[in-house]
Amino acid sequence: AVLLPLPAARAQDPEKKGPPAADLLADGLAKAKKDDKRVFLVFGSPTCGWCKYLDKYHADAEVEKVVGKYFVIVKVDVVTNPG
């Protein structure tokens, strides 16, 4: 795994934090195993232009239907889902 430190200003944000990334991944792996699917792991940030583009792409019902048929999507926001 590659871990990149958050910039100091971002690390001290008083933003509400979500569950740790490791917990999201563990839940996704358990669901994928149960449903006999693979994990599609997405890392993103609210400040990332490409991440916002992919969010719109994954929100499309047709895309979600096709991807969801074969994958469990685990999305990790690097700001709100630390560790």
Side-chain angles (χ1 to χ4, degrees):
V2 175
L3 299 175
L4 300 175
L6 291 173
R10 270 306 213 185
Q12 295 175 5
D13 264 354
E15 248 182 276
K16 183 178 179 183
K17 302 294 181 190
D23 291 353
L24 294 175
L25 180 56
D27 292 347
L29 288 170
K31 182 168 176 30
K33 185 174 183 176
K34 181 182 134 226
D35 297 345
D36 195 29
K37 295 181 181 181
R38 294 179 183 254
V39 173
F40 191 111
L41 183 58
V42 180
F43 285 94
S45 165
T47 60
C48 170
W50 282 108
C51 301
K52 291 176 186 178
Y53 173 80
L54 284 175
D55 283 345
K56 289 180 187 174
Y57 181 76
H58 285 270
D60 181 275
E62 254 331 281
V63 172
E64 185 179 348
K65 181 180 172 184
V66 173
V67 174
K69 184 176 179 180
Y70 302 101
F71 295 93
V72 170
I73 299 172
V74 176
K75 183 175 179 191
V76 176
D77 182 316
V78 298
V79 175
T80 61
N81 302 113

